[in-house]
Amino acid sequence: MRGGLVAGTLAVALALTASPAAATGTGAAPGAPVAGVPQVQWGECAESALETVPEEQRGQFGCATYRVPMDHDNAAAGTVDLALMRRAAGKPDARIGSLFLNPGGPGGSGRTLPVLADQLFEPRVLERFDIIGFDPRGVGKSSSVRCFTTEEDAYDVLGKQVPVPLERQRISDVLHAYQEYGEFCAANTGALLNHLSTKDVARDLDLLRAAVGDERLNYVGFSYGTLIGATYANLFPDKARAMVLDGNVDPALRTTDSTRYERERAKGFEIALEAFLTECEQVRQRCAFSEGRPKQKFTELRERLRREPIELPDGDTVDINAFTGGVAGALYSPHAFPGLAQDLQRLYEVLHPPQEAEPADPEPSAPARNDLSTLLDPAENSRYDVRPDSPYTSQDAYLGVNCSDKRFGHAQERVPELAGEWERELPTFGRIQAFSDAAGCPAWPVREPDAYRGPWNRSTEHPVLVIGNYYDPATQYAFAERMADQLGFARLLSVDAFGHCILGNSAELDSATADYLVDLKVPGPGQVYEPDTHPFG
């Protein structure tokens, strides 16, 4: 859950003195129809979509479905439907326009993000903008990518895709599973599979901008959503008003040398892990894994698990797949760090039992699997624990989008060699990253789709805000630096923080973001912000 927000009273007062036309940067009133583009027709949202919204606020929300071309260059190819949700501006008379959000993924559902908007933005942003979330094509409630017709088929294929295959047969099974996955997708998805690139999404977004009556786009994208923003800024630089990109990809590397990009993603996780273990050692008693030398203890755990699973006192086991995936997942959120440290220490004590506990000690060490909840969340693999032949209800946009955008220069047969190379350099996360997109996309059925691969340097009227955490595992800080360098007009905002993305968790950054979105006030260069809370704090 993202943290609370602090509103700047003076900034709110200044924002309310600006006319909507002045703040928008155009002379047109926001919300006016754009010629030739059908408007979005907002209606009521399903009860389930608003179940966390207080009754008295539900009137602010509306939902819609909007139809766009499947192929923007060929109207005869048919259409796809996009699912939208809007949270109306709190002060409609002072409304600047709409603010579109995307949570990343790719494959993340953004439709209900407006429900969480007060956890991401200061109140003055919510007062001045309609907040709009949408499921991109292929995702969620929009026309979605579904590769399987039954859960049994999904289980048979996806159940083989262990994240850290070591034995020759496991490696062969994983590679074959990716081939089968692509075959199922080609058989069951239809023409949409050829139109899932980020370029397609950016062109959809431009239609949505016009369909809500905005002459210029206001946009906040997280993680992969930063690639949507960068693509839009270069396809439609004259139609961008304010864009905030949090947790950035390296757009040029991701779309042209994807093998190297995946290797550098693994490096980002290694940097974050190193920082976590260093922080643990420094805070000592506040980190349960701090006794002794945390880095050496972690290495011992990893190397033991690489050889064989660790058996817990209750007879259950922990293997290298669960361990690596659990550590990677916990690094996304510094709120999980205390729990991760405790779980690592408990697992370490299985190998090195402490001396017999004194009578006053409250908890002798005998962890069961349920005691390692941060590291081994059982819900993580729930998609495989299903009744055979039940209807398949998941969606498969992740590889569909990534394999449309990314360009790998190796054949799938080379993946085991790459995994060995990467693991020698990046011992915890090199192998898991090699057996992700770098293994799946070379077997993907769509070849050379119409993806956007640059240039990335077209200038927008106002700078794009590019936000990067120093210890972001999934999109390392160097990616934010490169995004800011590659864009034609950008301002880098650095945050001395752990975790993936930061908006809503740093009051001073949130205030600067609100200044920018509302008044187009850009922070000075070289800004470094602090998070509201620190790990183990």
Side-chain angles (χ1 to χ4, degrees), residues 154-203:
Y155 178 87
D156 286 344
V157 174
L158 301 180
K160 302 173 189 173
Q161 292 181 350
V162 297
V164 193
L166 294 167
E167 305 86 359
R168 180 173 298 179
Q169 186 58 52
R170 276 289 179 91
I171 290 171
S172 177
D173 288 346
V174 170
L175 296 180
H176 183 64
Y178 274 120
Q179 295 168 13
E180 289 183 297
Y181 190 28
E183 291 167 2
F184 271 98
C185 291
N188 294 320
T189 299
L192 179 59
L193 203 64
N194 297 290
H195 302 285
L196 292 172
S197 73
T198 302
K199 178 181 176 181
D200 290 315
V201 177
R203 295 178 75 175

Side-chain angles (χ1 to χ4, degrees), residues 98-231:
S98 301
L99 178 61
F100 286 86
L101 312 180
N102 180 271
S109 172
R111 183 180 60 96
T112 57
L113 274 182
V115 172
L116 305 176
D118 56 357
Q119 299 171 28
L120 299 170
F121 305 110
E122 289 194 349
R124 53 190 165 131
V125 175
L126 308 182
E127 292 169 352
R128 304 295 300 279
F129 291 94
D130 292 342
I131 309 298
I132 298 180
F134 68 104
D135 284 350
R137 57 173 59 209
V139 176
K141 297 292 184 180
S142 295
S143 298
S144 62
V145 177
R146 289 185 179 170
C147 296
F148 303 100
T149 57
T150 69
E151 292 284 5
E152 183 180 40
D153 288 340
Y155 178 87
D156 286 344
V157 174
L158 301 180
K160 302 173 189 173
Q161 292 181 350
V162 297
V164 193
L166 294 167
E167 305 86 359
R168 180 173 298 179
Q169 186 58 52
R170 276 289 179 91
I171 290 171
S172 177
D173 288 346
V174 170
L175 296 180
H176 183 64
Y178 274 120
Q179 295 168 13
E180 289 183 297
Y181 190 28
E183 291 167 2
F184 271 98
C185 291
N188 294 320
T189 299
L192 179 59
L193 203 64
N194 297 290
H195 302 285
L196 292 172
S197 73
T198 302
K199 178 181 176 181
D200 290 315
V201 177
R203 295 178 75 175
D204 292 344
L205 185 56
D206 192 54
L207 286 180
L208 294 177
R209 169 202 59 76
V212 298
D214 286 2
E215 290 197 2
R216 299 211 179 172
L217 179 72
N218 301 287
Y219 175 81
V220 176
F222 301 91
S223 193
Y224 158 76
T226 65
L227 183 64
I228 297 175
T231 303

